[in-house]
């Protein structure tokens, strides 16, 4: 069967989920998976080319806080606030990325620069407590009727499910566009040897800036969507080191080099976190988070290709295996 037909069937099946009469909790889990699946896909678009960022929480925080502050303080609709937040994140990515790529600050050093960026944004949010609520966070001002397309707020979880589904599909489409573009080959070549890539006419700095700014803009959109859904944000949940590392771990667990790997990572990490929280979280405080971290570390060590990568590798080995000799 053609891949397009299979894709259409899959999308139709996902769109029909709210019609099955699921409870609010299950719809909440699905919406959360779609939002984080999009955020993780945003990181993998860049991370798969060796550009490891440990500070994507900065862009997530900008999306959540800029959109919320413009709405709470000025009544500016998220439809306008989100593009403004995306422009802010792209400017930040340009400001940080250009000197790094121009002077070939790559590998561990680039990861440390992005880690510092995430902390700068988090500390800025905490420091501007009069406008952001500081460490206590802030609540998105709700509309009186509870549902407003202008405010991007919906009482019905099913409606927000479709919004998250559209955004998630857009993320997969962008991943595929990048995967089939010349930009992919330019970035793969530069990740192997920048001098060799430049010698054949590749503008390495520009290629890396384009993919960094695209990833930053997408992550910002994910942060704004998360804020509009949760209606509450604080620095630790949208901009801290913990959330940046969560993004990296989830993508690696799901599969960095496959289109659906980040979404599989979102499903895996969410189910793992929920299971541990329900079964252990109330007995010993912090035990669920400790086990969660240990399992992820072991997962990364023994399954570096992630869930989808390991499955695909196993299928390839089965296809390549010679048939058993006939008796």
């Amino acid at each position: 069967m053609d891949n397009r037909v299979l894709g259409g069937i899959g999308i139709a099946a996902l769109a029909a989920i709210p019609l099955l009469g699921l409870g609010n909790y299950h719809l909440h889990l699905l919406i959360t998976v779609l939002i984080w699946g999009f955020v993780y896909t945003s990181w993998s678009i860049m991370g798969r080319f060796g550009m490891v960022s440990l500070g994507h929480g900065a862009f997530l925080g900008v999306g959540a806080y800029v959109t919320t502050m413009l709405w709470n303080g000025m009544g500016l609709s998220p439809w306008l606030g989100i593009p403004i937040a995306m422009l802010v994140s792209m400017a930040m990515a340009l400001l940080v990325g250009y000197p790094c790529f121009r002077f070939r600050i790559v590998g561990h050093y680039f990861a440390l620069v992005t880690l510092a960026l995430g902390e700068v944004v988090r500390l800025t949010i905490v420091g501007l407590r009069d406008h952001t609520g500081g460490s206590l966070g802030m609540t998105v001002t709700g509309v009186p009727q509870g549902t407003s397309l202008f405010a991007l707020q919906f009482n019905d979880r099913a409606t927000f499910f479709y919004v998250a589904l559209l955004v998630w599909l857009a993320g997969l489409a962008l991943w595929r566009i990048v995967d089939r573009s010349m930009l992919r080959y330019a970035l793969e070549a530069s990740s192997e040897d920048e001098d060799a890539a430049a010698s054949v006419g590749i503008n390495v700095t520009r290629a890396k800036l384009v993919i960094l700014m695209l990833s930053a803009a997408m992550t910002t959109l994910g942060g704004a969507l998360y804020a509009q859904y949760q209606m509450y944000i604080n620095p630790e949940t949208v901009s801290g080191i913990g959330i940046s590392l969560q993004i990296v771990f989830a993508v690696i667990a799901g599969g960095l080099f496959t289109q659906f790997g980040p979404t599989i990572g979102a499903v895996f990490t969410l189910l793992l976190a929920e299971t541990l929280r329900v079964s252990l979280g109330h007995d010993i405080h912090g035990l669920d988070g400790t086990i969660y971290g240990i399992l992820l570390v072991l997962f990364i060590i023994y399954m570096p290709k992630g869930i989808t990568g390991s499955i695909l590798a196993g299928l390839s080995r089965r296809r390549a295996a010679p048939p058993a000799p006939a008796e």
Side-chain angles (χ1 to χ4, degrees):
M1 188 178 293
D2 186 73
N3 289 335
R4 294 181 180 179
V5 176
L6 288 174
I9 294 174
I11 293 173
L14 286 173
I17 287 179
L19 305 177
L20 301 178
L22 297 178
N24 285 334
Y25 174 71
H26 294 94
L27 270 180
H28 165 72
L29 292 180
L30 289 173
I31 293 170
T32 305
V33 165
L34 291 174
I35 293 175
W36 286 115
F38 174 78
V39 172
Y40 299 158
T41 300
S42 305
W43 188 92
S44 71
I45 282 181
M46 182 186 75
R48 64 187 297 232
F49 300 113
M51 301 165 60
V52 178
S53 168
L54 299 181
H56 256 50
F59 307 125
L60 196 75
V62 167
Y65 272 92
V66 170
T67 305
T68 302
M69 290 168 64
L70 289 175
W71 168 251
N72 286 1
M74 302 173 58
L76 193 65
S77 169
W79 294 101
L80 296 176
I82 291 174
I84 293 174
M86 293 171 73
L87 289 175
V88 172
S89 284
M90 292 172 70
M92 286 172 47
L94 179 63
L95 183 64
V96 173
Y98 181 78
C100 286
F101 303 146
R102 182 69 179 80
F103 299 105
R104 299 188 180 183
I105 300 175
V106 296
H108 300 86
Y109 299 103
F110 178 72
L112 290 175
V113 170
T114 57
L115 183 65
L117 175 65
E119 273 301 282
V120 168
V121 171
R122 185 186 69 84
L123 292 175
T124 301
I125 294 172
V126 174
L128 297 174
R129 59 178 59 88
D130 293 337
H131 304 283
T132 63
S135 300
L136 298 177
M138 65 187 304
T139 302
V140 180
T141 302
V143 293
Q145 62 271 28
T147 297
S148 171
L149 184 61
F150 177 79
L152 202 59
Q153 297 177 18
F154 308 100
N155 255 342
D156 184 15
R157 290 184 187 271
T159 304
F160 212 100
F161 171 84
Y162 289 117
V163 173
L165 178 62
L166 288 175
V167 172
W168 176 70
L169 290 174
L172 294 182
L174 286 172
W175 195 99
R176 192 170 186 83
I177 290 172
V178 171
D179 189 62
R180 294 187 170 188
S181 68
M182 293 302 296
L183 181 62
R184 169 195 170 183
Y185 300 106
L187 289 167
E188 286 181 343
S190 63
S191 66
E192 294 292 334
D193 191 328
E194 289 195 12
D195 291 325
S199 68
V200 296
I202 297 175
N203 190 328
V204 176
T205 300
R206 184 175 64 185
K208 287 186 173 183
L209 277 177
V210 168
I211 203 68
L212 174 59
M213 293 172 70
L214 174 62
S215 178
M218 292 175 63
T219 305
T220 302
L221 173 58
L225 191 66
Y226 176 83
Q228 292 301 121
Y229 175 63
Q230 295 288 351
M231 299 294 289
Y232 169 78
I233 51 177
N234 69 66
E236 296 302 324
T237 57
V238 296
S239 64
I241 294 178
I243 199 66
S244 296
L245 295 179
Q246 174 188 318
I247 294 173
V248 179
F249 290 156
V251 174
I252 294 175
L256 177 59
F257 299 99
T258 58
Q259 185 178 16
F260 290 96
T263 304
I264 298 300
V267 174
F268 170 75
T269 53
L270 177 65
L271 293 180
L272 177 61
E274 283 294 304
T275 302
L276 292 175
R277 181 183 64 84
V278 172
S279 59
L280 301 174
H282 299 291
D283 297 330
I284 303 178
H285 182 70
L287 181 60
D288 57 330
T290 302
I291 296 177
Y292 174 76
I294 293 174
L295 287 177
L296 282 178
V297 170
L298 294 175
F299 202 92
I300 292 171
I301 293 174
Y302 293 105
M303 292 184 67
K305 293 182 179 180
I307 297 173
T308 54
S310 299
I311 292 175
L312 292 175
L315 293 175
S316 298
R317 285 194 297 268
R318 288 187 61 182
R319 292 172 182 172
E327 295 183 2

